[in-house]
Amino acid sequence: MEGVDYLAGERKKAEFDVESMKIVWAGSRHVLEVSDRISKLVADDPAFRKDDRTMLSRKELFKNTIRKAVYAWKRIVELHLSEEEASRLRFYVDEPAFTDLHWGMFVPAIKGQGTDEQQQKWLPLAYKMQIIGCYAQTELGHGSNVQGLETTATFDPRTDEFVINSPTLTSSKWWPGGLGKVSTHAVVYARLITDGKDHGVHGFIVQLRSLEDHTPLPGITVGDIGMKFGNGAYNTMDNGLLRFDHVRIPRNQMLMRVSQVTREGKYKQSDVPRQLVYGTMVYVRQTIVVDASSALSKAVCIATRYSAVRRQFGSQNGGPETQVIDYKTQQSRLFPLLASAYAFRFVGEWLKWLYTDVTQRLQANDFSTLPEAHACTAGLKSLTTSATADGIEECRKLCGGHGYLCSSGLPELFAVYVPACTYEGDNTVLLLQVARFLMKTVSQLGTGKQPVGTVAYMGRIEHLMQCSSNVQKAEDWLKPNQVMEAFEARAARMSVSCARNLSKYANPEEGFAELSADLVEAAVAHCQLIVVSKFIDKLQQDIPGEGVKRQLEVLCGVYYLYLLHKHQGDFLATRYLNPKQAALANDQLRALYTQVRPNAIALVDAFNYTDHFLGSILGRYDGNVYPKLYEAAWKDPLNETVVPDGYHEYLRPLLKQQLPSARL
Amino acid sequence: MEGVDYLAGERKKAEFDVESMKIVWAGSRHVLEVSDRISKLVADDPAFRKDDRTMLSRKELFKNTIRKAVYAWKRIVELHLSEEEASRLRFYVDEPAFTDLHWGMFVPAIKGQGTDEQQQKWLPLAYKMQIIGCYAQTELGHGSNVQGLETTATFDPRTDEFVINSPTLTSSKWWPGGLGKVSTHAVVYARLITDGKDHGVHGFIVQLRSLEDHTPLPGITVGDIGMKFGNGAYNTMDNGLLRFDHVRIPRNQMLMRVSQVTREGKYKQSDVPRQLVYGTMVYVRQTIVVDASSALSKAVCIATRYSAVRRQFGSQNGGPETQVIDYKTQQSRLFPLLASAYAFRFVGEWLKWLYTDVTQRLQANDFSTLPEAHACTAGLKSLTTSATADGIEECRKLCGGHGYLCSSGLPELFAVYVPACTYEGDNTVLLLQVARFLMKTVSQLGTGKQPVGTVAYMGRIEHLMQCSSNVQKAEDWLKPNQVMEAFEARAARMSVSCARNLSKYANPEEGFAELSADLVEAAVAHCQLIVVSKFIDKLQQDIPGEGVKRQLEVLCGVYYLYLLHKHQGDFLATRYLNPKQAALANDQLRALYTQVRPNAIALVDAFNYTDHFLGSILGRYDGNVYPKLYEAAWKDPLNETVVPDGYHEYLRPLLKQQLPSARL
Ligand SMILES: Cc1cc2nc3c(=O)[nH]c(=O)nc-3n(C[C@H](O)[C@H](O)[C@H](O)COP(=O)(O)OP(=O)(O)OC[C@H]3O[C@@H](n4cnc5c(N)ncnc54)[C@H](O)[C@@H]3O)c2cc1C
Ligand SMILES: Cc1cc2nc3c(=O)[nH]c(=O)nc-3n(C[C@H](O)[C@H](O)[C@H](O)COP(=O)(O)OP(=O)(O)OC[C@H]3O[C@@H](n4cnc5c(N)ncnc54)[C@H](O)[C@@H]3O)c2cc1C
C-alpha cells in the first residue's frame, strides 16, 4: 500500500534524536539544510530519473548522461546556485560524467600548476563550460609509475611550439574520464624534452576537438576505451584513449607555475616550491575519504532497512518470522559496516581540517608536516576505499538473493565504486608509501627529531613497546585510553618489528622489497589507529541532541572492537593482549550489537538520503519492498513480449524436434 | 605481433612437466583428453563467440543465448557426444542458460523424487528436450526458509486434481532460472493440502506454457524478474517470476517417490527413506565446489599472466621495468589464490568419492554417515564459494586499472560467480548448520559415539586440547603432521570453547542465537581443516611427472601457511602456537612464494584453458596484451561515430552558450 510506513515501528524504537544526528552526519546545520534542499530538488525532477539506467544500451546510457549533465548545468545557472550547491547537485544526480573530471581535475590542475596568466586565460572559459577539459595522465603502459610515462613534448625553438607525440602503442593515453567522446581540451602529461634533454613529466594544455563541429584536430586519434564493470555504473563515463601524431601547441600551453621553458628553449625552475602540488593531493584524497563514507553509508542504509523488512525462519505458532536483522550473524556483518560509515565520515571531516592546516603552512613556507600529511592521506585513502568496496559487496550478500537484482541498487553501487581502490593511487602502492614513511619515522626515533601529527605516538615508543593491557572485564573495553593504548601499541610494535627485520638486510631496498607484505600490514595497523583515534577525538567534543552522543559512543565501540577482533592476531602476536582480554573484547562487541539493534533504522535514516539517491527498492524509506520489486520486474525489456525473441527461430524447432542440421 | 609468445621466457623457467600437471588438474588423462578436445571444438566455432557479450542489450543477449543453447544441443546430437562430452561442451560454452536448470535441477528432481512410472513418462521427453523444465522453489518472500513457502497445492478429490495457487504476493515464485521466458514445465514446490490439512512442502510437475505457441497456460502469470549484476554475466538467464491462479494439474503430477496422495485424498509415506534426498544434495554441492575451483582458476590464470606482462617501476639504467609479479605484495595476494584453486580442485575430487560412498551406504540403508556428509558438504560449499568470489575480485584489483575493463574478463566473471554464495544455501545459513553439527559432535564426546569422517579428529580431543606446537624453525612448517595438528587443535579448541560458552545458557537455542557469530568462526576453522587435510592426503598419493609433486607440495604449503597467517589470532588465542612460531610460519610462507614465482605461469597453463574460455585480453596465452586491448576498444558502440549522439542536441548548445532556458 502506498503511503504506509512499514518501518514506523522500527523508527519508534530509536533512543536518540534523529534530526540532531542528521546534523552530525552532515557536518553542520547549514550543510544539512543545503543537502536536504538540493537532494529533494534532484529527486523531484523527472529529468534526473535513474531507475532505468541499468537497462540502457551503452549508447542510450551515454546520451542520457550528456543530457543530464547539461541539464544539471542549466539548472545551476537558472537557479543561481552557489558553488557549494552546484557541487551538491552534481553529487545527488549520482551519475559519473565528464563534468566530474572537468571540475574535479581539469580546473584544479590549471589552478594548481598554471601561472596567473594561464589561469586568467583558461579558467573563465572552463568556468562557463565554453571548453570542457579532462586530465590525461595514465597511458596504456603506465599508471602507477607516472615517471615512466612515454608521451613526449619536444620543444621546437624555431616555431616556439611543443610537439606532442605518442612514440609507441603503450604511450597511448588510456583511462582519462571525459576524454573518449566529450572533452574539447585536456591537461596532458608528457616528458618535456628541450634540446635533446629529458626533464621528466610535465603538464600541457592541449586542445583535442574542434569547437565548431567536435571532430578531433589533425594528428589526434581519440576514442572510448570500451565497456567497464557493471550495468549503468561507470559506463556513463567516456574513459578514453588518445594518440598524438606530432601535434603542435604554443609554448605558453605548458603549465608553468613551477617550472618553465623560455623562448630560447631553456628549462628553469620558478621560485614557487614544488611541494605546492601536495596541497592538491591532500584535497583530492580528502574528498575520496568523504566519498567512501557516502558510498558505504548508502549500501549500509539499503541492507539495514531490508534486513528489518526481510523475515526468515523462527515463526512461532504461526506468528511472523524473525526479522533477519535480529540474527547475530547478520548484526556481526552489518553493524561494523554501519560503524565504519560513521568512522569514515569523521576522519573525512578531520582531513578537511588537515587540508586547511597544510595549506596555511605551505603559504608560510613551512614544509615540515608535509611528509606526515602525505603518508596519512595516502593511508586513509587506501584504508577507506578498500573497506568500502568490500563493505558494499558484503551488504549485497546480506540481502540474500534479492541483493543480486539491479533493482536493489547494490550491484551498480559496487561496480561504480570499486575503481576508487585503483585510481588516485593503487591501494597497495599507497600502503607501501605509508610503510616507507613509518620505517623512516622509526629510524629517526632517538635522534631528537620528534614525530608529529598522526605518528606522534611513536614518540612514546619505549612505553608502547613494554606496556600491556590492563583490561580485566568486558566493560574495560569501553575506556578510550585502554583502546588507544592497544591500537598504538599494536601499530608501534608492528612497525618496530618490521624495522628490526629490515635491519638484517645488507641492502635496505632489497629488504624492503622482500618484507613488503609485512610492511603493508604494519601500514594498515597504523591507518586503523588514525581512524579509531579521530572517532574517539570526535566524542570528546560537545555533541548536542538527545541520546546522540551515546549512540556515537556505541558505534565507536563497535568500530574498534570489530577491528580488534578481526586483527586479534596482531594484538596477541605483539603480546600486548592475552587471549582472555581478546575474548573479553569480543564479549563486549556482542553486547554493543544488542545496543545498536533498536537504533539501527534511525541510524541510517540520519544519512537523510532520498529514495532517488539510494536508487534501491530494498532500501526504500517506507519498507514497501515486495510490491515494488514485483512492479519493477515487469519493466525489463524481456517482458515487452510474452513470447521471447528467438522462440520461433530456435526454441520451437527444438521443442518440435525439427532442428535442421544446417548451422543455426 | 601475431604468433609471438611473449610469455615464452616465463614458460621456460618452469621446473616441472606441465603436461603431467594438466592431467593432475583434470583428474585423469581421459578427462584431460575430453576437455581438451571439446574446449577446442567450442573455441574454434564462431557460433560460440562471446567477446561481444558485455556490449549487448538484454534482448539481444538473451536471444543470443537461446541461439547458442539450441545450437549446442544440435552439435551434441550431430556429433553423437556422450553425456560426459555434452556436459563439458555446455561448460566450455560458458554462458548461463535455461539448459543448466533443465539438466541440472529439473531432470535430477524427477529422477530423485519421481516414481518409476513418473520417470518413465517425463524423462524421455526431457532427455529429447521436447519439454524444457526448471526448478521453482524460491518465492518472493522465502528463500532460505523452504518450509515457509506459501504456494499451495490443494487436493480436489472430486476431480482427482491438485489446485495450485499463489495466495499472496510474497508467494510468487521468484528467481527460478529458465522460468522467465523459456521453460515449458517446472517442478513447483508448494504446501500440500488434503482435506484441510497442511502436509508441508512437496514437489509437483506443472506445465507452464503451451507446447504449440509458447503462451502461458490459463491461470499462469509468468515473466522475467529483471536485470541482475553485471553486463552479460547472469543476464543470459531468464530468472523468472510465476503466479498461479487456481491452476489444476492431475494428481499423478505430484512427485510421489517418498510420499503419496491416494485417489481418495489420503496422504501417506512410501517405504522409500526420506534421507534419499541427501544423496542429490551431496552431488549438487560437489559440483559447486568443483565449479569454484574452475572460476577461481580462471581469475588466477588471467591475473598471473597479466602480472608477468605488466611492468611498473624499477627500471635500472633505462632497462625494462620490474614485472609486477616480482613484487612480494603482488605475490602475497596472488599466490595464495593460485594455491586455493588447486586446493579446491582436490577437495572437489574427494567430494566425488564421498558422493559414491554416501550413495552406496544409502542403498544399503546405512544412514549413519549422513549428518557428517551433510555438514561437510554444506561447509565446503560455503567456504569455497566465498573464497572464490573474494578471490576473483582480488584478481581484478591485481590487474590495476585494466582489470576494470570488461575486456579483462574479470568483471563478468565476478558478476556471474557471486550468486554462488547465495543459491543452494546462503553461505552463512550453511555455516550455522555446520556449527550445529559440531556442537552436537562435541556434546557426544565421551558418550561412546565415535565421531567419524571429517570430524574423526574430535575423537582425539584430549590430546588436541593439551598439545602445543613443536615448531622451532621455519622449515618445521613443511612437516604435514605439524600442520595437521595445528589445524586440528585450532578447530577443536574453537568448537569446545563455543560449547562451553553455550552451556552457560539455560536455553540452548537462545545461547546458539547469541553466540552464532563465534559459532560461524568455529565452523570456518573446521572447514579449512578439511581442505588442508585433503590437500595433504592428495600428496600422499603417487603423482607422476617430473617435478609435479614438488610443485604441489609448495602450493599446499602456501595454502595452509596463508590460512595460518591470516587466522593467526585463532592459533594464538587457543594457545596452540606462540608468537614466535606464528612468525616462523610467515617466514616460511615468504620463502615459498619465491619458489612459486618461476613456476607461476606454467602452473596456470596447467589449467589448459583456451583463450575463448578465459575470455580475457589480459589473460591471453601469448601475453600480447596491449595491441589487443587497443583493438578491442574500437569495437565499443560509442566508437561507431566520431561525434557522439547528443552532441548536437546538448553539448554544442552548452559549448556555444546557447542553452535555451526550456527543459532539455
Ligand atoms: C575508472 C577509472 C578512472 C580513471 N580515470 C583517470 C583519469 O581521469 N585520468 C588519468 O590519467 N587516469 C585515470 N585512471 C587511471 C588510474 O589512475 C590508474 O589505473 C591507476 O593509477 C593505477 O595504475 P595502473 O592501472 O597502471 O595499475 P598498475 O600499477 O599496473 O597495477 C597493477 C598491479 O601492480 C601492483 N604494483 C604496481 N606497482 C607496484 C609497486 N611498486 N610495488 C608493488 N606492487 C605494485 C599494483 O598493486 C597492482 O596490483 C582511471 C582508472 C580507472 C579504473
Ligand atoms: C542467481 C540466482 C539463481 C537462483 N536460481 C534459483 C532457481 O533456479 N530456483 C529456485 O527455486 N531458487 C533460485 N534462486 C534463489 C536462491 O535459492 C535463494 O536466493 C537462496 O536460497 C537464498 O535465499 P534468500 O534469497 O531468501 O535469502 P535470505 O534468507 O532472505 O537471506 C537474507 C539474509 O538473511 C540471513 N539469514 C537468513 N536466515 C537466517 C538464519 N536462520 N540465521 C541467520 N541469518 C539468516 C542470510 O544470511 C542473509 O544474510 C536463485 C538465486 C539467485 C541469486
Side-chain angles (χ1 to χ4, degrees):
Chain A
M1 269 197 302
E2 304 289 331
V4 175
D5 179 1
Y6 291 91
L7 291 170
E10 286 291 336
R11 298 198 159 100
K12 277 204 209 92
K13 290 186 198 160
E15 299 156 325
F16 68 99
D17 178 43
V18 181
E19 294 306 314
S20 302
M21 189 66 93
K22 284 185 183 174
I23 296 173
V24 175
W25 177 262
S28 74
R29 192 179 289 277
H30 165 75
V31 175
L32 174 62
E33 183 280 316
V34 174
S35 299
D36 190 64
R37 183 162 40 82
I38 301 287
S39 67
K40 284 178 180 149
L41 189 134
V42 172
D44 293 343
D45 191 335
F48 291 127
R49 75 175 268 213
K50 59 181 189 182
D51 57 339
D52 55 352
R53 193 160 56 190
T54 59
M55 284 181 267
L56 301 179
S57 74
R58 182 85 205 276
K59 275 172 122 169
E60 292 164 337
L61 181 71
F62 189 68
K63 183 174 178 184
N64 219 7
T65 304
I66 298 182
R67 178 184 61 73
K68 286 191 199 177
V70 174
Y71 177 70
W73 173 249
K74 211 171 62 76
R75 295 298 286 158
I76 290 168
V77 174
E78 280 172 358
L79 299 171
H80 305 290
L81 298 190
S82 67
E83 210 176 304
E84 180 189 14
E85 291 167 327
S87 109
R88 285 280 87 187
L89 187 131
R90 280 191 293 269
F91 176 75
Y92 286 117
V93 168
D94 188 41
E95 186 156 309
F98 57 92
T99 39
D100 300 350
L101 284 300
H102 177 79
W103 296 109
M105 299 293 286
F106 181 71
V107 167
I110 295 176
K111 271 186 171 169
Q113 298 161 46
T115 60
D116 291 347
E117 227 170 296
Q118 290 175 319
Q119 298 193 28
Q120 274 153 32
K121 170 166 180 192
W122 295 100
L123 290 180
L125 294 168
Y127 284 151
K128 288 200 218 129
M129 300 205 81
Q130 289 177 292
I131 63 173
I132 299 171
C134 66
Y135 185 88
Q137 177 175 301
T138 306
E139 298 174 355
L140 193 47
H142 288 93
S144 300
N145 182 14
V146 178
Q147 296 316 318
L149 294 177
E150 297 176 76
T151 305
T152 50
T154 311
F155 184 63
D156 180 350
R158 285 168 311 166
T159 59
D160 198 20
E161 291 171 319
F162 291 107
V163 182
I164 314 280
N165 196 41
S166 309
T168 60
L169 181 74
T170 47
S171 74
S172 310
K173 292 293 169 188
W174 188 274
W175 273 117
L179 168 65
K181 292 281 139 184
V182 173
S183 291
T184 61
H185 289 68
V187 170
V188 171
Y189 290 85
R191 316 196 73 77
L192 169 65
I193 296 173
T194 62
D195 205 13
K197 190 158 181 279
D198 185 334
H199 304 282
V201 174
H202 289 72
F204 301 83
I205 301 178
V206 184
Q207 182 175 347
L208 306 174
R209 291 180 166 96
S210 153
L211 290 172
E212 282 315 307
D213 63 8
H214 211 63
T215 53
L217 297 187
I220 285 180
T221 306
V222 61
D224 189 271
I225 58 170
M227 290 293 284
K228 288 147 293 188
F229 202 160
N231 359 38
Y234 223 87
N235 292 303
T236 56
M237 183 71 87
D238 54 332
N239 294 93
L241 62 87
L242 172 62
R243 290 183 59 77
F244 298 99
D245 182 5
H246 300 91
V247 171
R248 291 181 166 262
I249 57 166
R251 181 169 53 92
N252 66 8
Q253 287 180 211
M254 169 173 156
L255 292 170
M256 299 225 203
R257 185 159 178 212
V258 174
S259 45
Q260 290 114 27
V261 171
T262 65
R263 176 64 191 93
E264 296 72 39
K266 272 198 62 163
Y267 178 74
K268 55 176 204 174
Q269 304 283 336
S270 75
D271 44 14
V272 176
R274 295 195 87 85
Q275 288 91 332
L276 272 183
V277 293
Y278 286 110
T280 320
M281 203 180 268
V282 173
Y283 176 76
V284 172
R285 287 184 182 156
Q286 175 257 312
T287 59
I288 293 186
V289 170
V290 174
D291 286 348
S293 81
S294 299
L296 185 55
S297 59
K298 271 174 106 166
V300 165
C301 181
I302 296 167
T304 303
R305 287 185 182 155
Y306 180 64
S307 294
V309 170
R310 185 70 171 173
R311 293 173 178 273
Q312 206 80 233
F313 298 101
S315 159
Q316 264 148 17
N317 313 322
E321 293 165 282
T322 306
Q323 292 166 286
V324 299
I325 199 174
D326 283 325
Y327 291 115
K328 270 273 156 8
T329 46
Q330 193 86 351
Q331 295 178 5
S332 71
R333 294 158 69 200
L334 181 58
F335 293 167
L337 298 174
L338 174 61
S340 302
Y342 276 91
F344 298 169
R345 197 71 175 183
F346 299 142
V347 82
E349 219 168 62
W350 172 76
L351 279 175
K352 277 187 206 162
W353 168 84
L354 184 73
Y355 173 62
T356 326
D357 183 64
V358 164
T359 313
Q360 282 168 358
R361 285 172 191 267
L362 282 175
Q363 276 157 2
N365 270 326
D366 167 7
F367 306 128
S368 64
T369 63
L370 269 185
E372 187 264 321
H374 183 252
C376 150
T377 56
L380 290 175
K381 184 273 177 184
S382 176
L383 181 88
T384 56
T385 56
S386 287
T388 296
D390 293 350
I392 296 169
E393 172 61 6
E394 185 71 359
C395 285
R396 199 192 59 70
K397 292 206 185 93
L398 283 164
C399 296
H402 301 346
Y404 191 57
L405 283 171
C406 286
S407 55
S408 78
L410 292 163
E412 199 186 13
L413 187 56
F414 182 76
V416 83
Y417 189 76
V418 284
C421 299
T422 305
Y423 58 56
E424 287 300 320
D426 168 272
N427 280 353
T428 301
V429 174
L430 290 178
L431 287 175
L432 287 168
Q433 293 174 8
V434 176
R436 222 170 255 285
F437 170 72
L438 291 173
M439 290 309 100
K440 193 162 177 192
T441 305
V442 171
S443 74
Q444 290 174 340
L445 292 175
T447 63
K449 199 168 182 302
Q450 273 300 314
V452 294
T454 54
V455 282
Y457 67 101
M458 294 271 198
R460 285 173 282 114
I461 194 72
E462 279 177 32
H463 170 70
L464 290 176
M465 292 304 291
Q466 287 161 11
C467 59
S468 58
S469 176
N470 295 326
V471 164
Q472 285 175 331
K473 51 186 194 303
E475 299 77 49
D476 288 344
W477 278 118
L478 299 177
K479 298 180 186 154
N481 53 345
Q482 290 283 4
V483 175
M484 282 305 295
E485 190 181 83
F487 277 84
E488 287 177 353
R490 167 205 181 209
R493 291 177 196 195
M494 287 173 79
S495 277
V496 168
S497 153
C498 282
R500 281 189 189 141
N501 289 336
L502 272 179
S503 68
K504 293 177 197 153
Y505 289 79
N507 177 340
E509 278 311 306
E510 206 178 276
F512 193 88
E514 186 63 22
L515 300 174
S516 58
D518 299 343
L519 283 156
V520 161
E521 290 181 15
V524 168
H526 170 69
C527 298
Q528 289 177 344
L529 162 63
I530 302 177
V531 183
V532 167
S533 73
K534 298 307 160 194
F535 204 151
I536 289 179
D537 284 355
K538 173 84 190 173
L539 296 174
Q540 309 308 309
Q541 298 170 17
D542 183 38
I543 302 176
E546 199 197 318
V548 169
K549 191 170 195 167
R550 175 83 202 95
Q551 286 309 312
L552 293 175
E553 281 164 357
V554 171
L555 288 178
C556 182
V558 167
Y559 183 68
Y560 63 68
L561 290 174
Y562 151 77
L563 287 181
L564 197 152
H565 181 63
K566 184 171 164 197
H567 298 277
Q568 63 165 328
D570 293 349
F571 293 88
L572 295 167
T574 56
R575 298 185 198 267
Y576 176 79
L577 289 188
N578 62 41
K580 172 83 185 145
Q581 292 167 322
L584 289 173
N586 198 30
D587 291 343
Q588 185 55 50
L589 178 58
R590 215 183 298 116
L592 289 180
Y593 289 153
T594 308
Q595 295 179 38
V596 173
R597 169 65 189 92
N599 298 290
I601 298 297
L603 283 168
V604 301
D605 283 349
F607 304 146
N608 200 41
Y609 294 147
T610 63
D611 279 347
H612 171 274
F613 183 63
L614 273 184
S616 166
I617 293 179
L618 303 188
R620 287 173 63 93
Y621 181 85
D622 66 5
N624 189 23
V625 168
Y626 297 120
K628 295 294 173 182
L629 271 180
Y630 192 79
E631 246 175 75
W634 292 107
K635 294 186 192 143
D636 191 89
L638 276 191
N639 288 328
E640 283 165 16
T641 58
V642 172
V643 172
D645 224 12
Y647 168 70
H648 291 284
E649 217 171 326
Y650 308 117
L651 277 180
R652 192 165 202 280
L654 171 72
L655 289 162
K656 292 289 180 191
Q657 306 291 300
Q658 294 162 339
L659 289 188
S661 76
R663 233 178 223 190
L664 289 165
Chain B
M1 269 198 303
E2 305 289 331
V4 175
D5 179 2
Y6 291 91
L7 291 171
E10 286 292 336
R11 297 195 161 103
K12 276 205 208 94
K13 290 186 198 160
E15 298 156 326
F16 68 98
D17 178 43
V18 180
E19 293 306 313
S20 303
M21 188 65 94
K22 285 184 181 173
I23 296 173
V24 175
W25 177 262
S28 74
R29 190 179 290 277
H30 165 76
V31 176
L32 174 62
E33 183 281 316
V34 174
S35 301
D36 188 65
R37 183 163 40 83
I38 301 287
S39 67
K40 285 180 179 149
L41 189 132
V42 173
D44 292 344
D45 192 334
F48 291 126
R49 75 175 268 212
K50 59 181 189 182
D51 57 340
D52 56 352
R53 193 159 55 190
T54 57
M55 285 180 267
L56 301 179
S57 75
R58 181 84 204 276
K59 274 170 121 172
E60 293 164 337
L61 182 71
F62 189 67
K63 183 175 178 185
N64 218 6
T65 304
I66 299 183
R67 177 184 63 72
K68 284 191 199 178
V70 174
Y71 177 70
W73 173 250
K74 212 172 60 77
R75 294 300 285 158
I76 289 168
V77 174
E78 280 173 358
L79 298 171
H80 306 290
L81 297 191
S82 67
E83 211 175 303
E84 180 189 14
E85 291 167 326
S87 108
R88 286 280 88 189
L89 187 131
R90 279 191 293 269
F91 176 75
Y92 286 115
V93 169
D94 188 40
E95 186 156 310
F98 57 92
T99 38
D100 300 350
L101 285 298
H102 177 80
W103 295 111
M105 298 293 286
F106 181 70
V107 167
I110 296 176
K111 270 186 172 170
Q113 298 161 46
T115 61
D116 291 349
E117 229 170 296
Q118 289 175 318
Q119 298 194 29
Q120 273 154 32
K121 172 171 177 187
W122 296 100
L123 290 181
L125 294 169
Y127 285 150
K128 287 199 219 132
M129 300 205 82
Q130 289 176 291
I131 62 173
I132 299 172
C134 66
Y135 185 88
Q137 179 175 300
T138 306
E139 297 174 355
L140 194 46
H142 287 93
S144 299
N145 182 13
V146 178
Q147 296 317 315
L149 293 177
E150 297 176 77
T151 305
T152 51
T154 310
F155 183 62
D156 181 351
R158 286 169 311 167
T159 60
D160 199 20
E161 289 171 319
F162 291 106
V163 182
I164 314 281
N165 196 41
S166 310
T168 59
L169 180 75
T170 48
S171 74
S172 310
K173 292 294 170 189
W174 189 273
W175 272 117
L179 167 65
K181 291 282 139 184
V182 172
S183 291
T184 61
H185 289 68
V187 170
V188 171
Y189 290 85
R191 317 195 72 79
L192 169 65
I193 296 173
T194 61
D195 207 13
K197 189 158 181 279
D198 184 334
H199 304 282
V201 174
H202 290 71
F204 301 83
I205 300 177
V206 185
Q207 183 174 348
L208 307 174
R209 290 179 166 96
S210 153
L211 290 172
E212 281 316 307
D213 63 8
H214 210 65
T215 53
L217 297 187
I220 285 180
T221 306
V222 62
D224 188 272
I225 58 170
M227 289 294 282
K228 289 148 293 188
F229 201 159
N231 0 34
Y234 222 86
N235 292 303
T236 57
M237 184 70 88
D238 55 331
N239 294 92
L241 61 86
L242 172 63
R243 289 181 60 77
F244 298 100
D245 181 6
H246 300 89
V247 170
R248 292 181 165 262
I249 58 165
R251 180 170 53 91
N252 67 10
Q253 287 179 211
M254 168 174 156
L255 291 171
M256 300 224 203
R257 186 160 178 210
V258 174
S259 46
Q260 288 113 28
V261 171
T262 64
R263 177 63 192 90
E264 296 73 39
K266 272 199 61 165
Y267 178 72
K268 54 176 207 176
Q269 303 283 338
S270 75
D271 45 14
V272 176
R274 295 194 87 84
Q275 288 91 334
L276 272 184
V277 294
Y278 287 110
T280 321
M281 203 179 268
V282 173
Y283 176 76
V284 172
R285 287 183 181 157
Q286 175 257 312
T287 59
I288 292 185
V289 170
V290 174
D291 286 348
S293 80
S294 299
L296 184 55
S297 60
K298 271 174 105 165
V300 165
C301 181
I302 295 167
T304 303
R305 288 185 182 155
Y306 180 64
S307 294
V309 170
R310 185 71 170 172
R311 292 172 178 273
Q312 206 82 236
F313 297 102
S315 160
Q316 265 148 15
N317 314 321
E321 293 165 283
T322 306
Q323 294 165 287
V324 299
I325 198 174
D326 283 325
Y327 291 114
K328 270 273 158 2
T329 46
Q330 193 85 351
Q331 294 177 5
S332 71
R333 293 159 69 201
L334 181 58
F335 293 166
L337 298 174
L338 173 62
S340 301
Y342 275 92
F344 297 169
R345 197 71 176 184
F346 298 141
V347 82
E349 217 167 63
W350 172 76
L351 279 174
K352 279 188 202 158
W353 169 85
L354 183 74
Y355 173 63
T356 326
D357 183 64
V358 164
T359 315
Q360 283 168 359
R361 284 171 192 267
L362 283 175
Q363 276 157 2
N365 270 327
D366 167 6
F367 306 127
S368 63
T369 62
L370 269 186
E372 187 265 322
H374 182 255
C376 147
T377 55
L380 290 175
K381 184 271 179 188
S382 177
L383 181 88
T384 57
T385 56
S386 288
T388 296
D390 293 349
I392 295 170
E393 172 61 5
E394 184 72 0
C395 285
R396 198 192 60 68
K397 292 205 186 93
L398 283 164
C399 295
H402 301 345
Y404 191 57
L405 283 171
C406 286
S407 55
S408 78
L410 292 163
E412 199 186 14
L413 187 57
F414 182 76
V416 84
Y417 189 76
V418 285
C421 299
T422 306
Y423 57 55
E424 288 300 320
D426 169 272
N427 280 354
T428 301
V429 174
L430 290 178
L431 287 175
L432 287 168
Q433 292 174 8
V434 176
R436 223 169 254 284
F437 171 72
L438 290 174
M439 290 309 99
K440 192 161 177 193
T441 305
V442 172
S443 74
Q444 290 174 341
L445 291 177
T447 64
K449 201 168 182 298
Q450 272 301 313
V452 294
T454 53
V455 282
Y457 67 102
M458 294 270 199
R460 285 174 282 113
I461 194 72
E462 280 178 32
H463 169 70
L464 291 176
M465 292 304 290
Q466 289 161 8
C467 58
S468 59
S469 176
N470 296 324
V471 165
Q472 287 175 330
K473 51 185 196 305
E475 300 77 48
D476 288 345
W477 277 119
L478 299 178
K479 297 180 187 156
N481 53 344
Q482 291 281 5
V483 175
M484 283 304 296
E485 191 182 80
F487 277 83
E488 287 177 352
R490 165 205 183 208
R493 291 174 196 196
M494 287 174 77
S495 277
V496 168
S497 153
C498 283
R500 281 187 189 142
N501 289 335
L502 272 179
S503 68
K504 294 175 196 153
Y505 289 80
N507 177 340
E509 277 312 306
E510 209 178 274
F512 193 88
E514 186 62 22
L515 300 175
S516 58
D518 299 343
L519 283 156
V520 161
E521 290 180 15
V524 168
H526 170 69
C527 296
Q528 289 177 344
L529 162 63
I530 303 178
V531 183
V532 168
S533 74
K534 298 308 160 193
F535 204 151
I536 289 178
D537 284 355
K538 174 84 190 176
L539 296 175
Q540 309 307 310
Q541 297 170 19
D542 183 39
I543 302 177
E546 200 196 319
V548 169
K549 191 170 195 165
R550 177 82 203 96
Q551 287 309 312
L552 294 175
E553 281 164 357
V554 171
L555 288 177
C556 183
V558 167
Y559 183 69
Y560 62 68
L561 291 174
Y562 151 77
L563 287 181
L564 198 151
H565 181 63
K566 184 171 164 196
H567 298 275
Q568 64 165 329
D570 294 348
F571 293 89
L572 294 168
T574 56
R575 297 185 199 266
Y576 176 78
L577 289 190
N578 62 42
K580 172 80 186 149
Q581 292 167 322
L584 289 173
N586 199 29
D587 291 343
Q588 186 56 50
L589 179 57
R590 214 183 299 116
L592 290 180
Y593 290 152
T594 308
Q595 294 178 38
V596 173
R597 169 62 189 92
N599 298 289
I601 298 297
L603 283 168
V604 301
D605 284 349
F607 304 148
N608 201 40
Y609 293 147
T610 63
D611 279 347
H612 171 274
F613 183 63
L614 274 185
S616 165
I617 293 179
L618 303 189
R620 286 174 64 94
Y621 181 84
D622 66 6
N624 189 23
V625 168
Y626 297 119
K628 295 294 173 183
L629 271 180
Y630 192 81
E631 243 176 78
W634 292 107
K635 295 188 189 139
D636 191 273
L638 278 191
N639 288 328
E640 283 165 17
T641 57
V642 173
V643 172
D645 225 11
Y647 168 70
H648 292 283
E649 218 170 326
Y650 309 116
L651 277 180
R652 194 164 200 281
L654 171 71
L655 289 162
K656 293 287 178 190
Q657 307 290 301
Q658 296 164 336
L659 289 187
S661 76
R663 243 200 203 164
L664 288 166

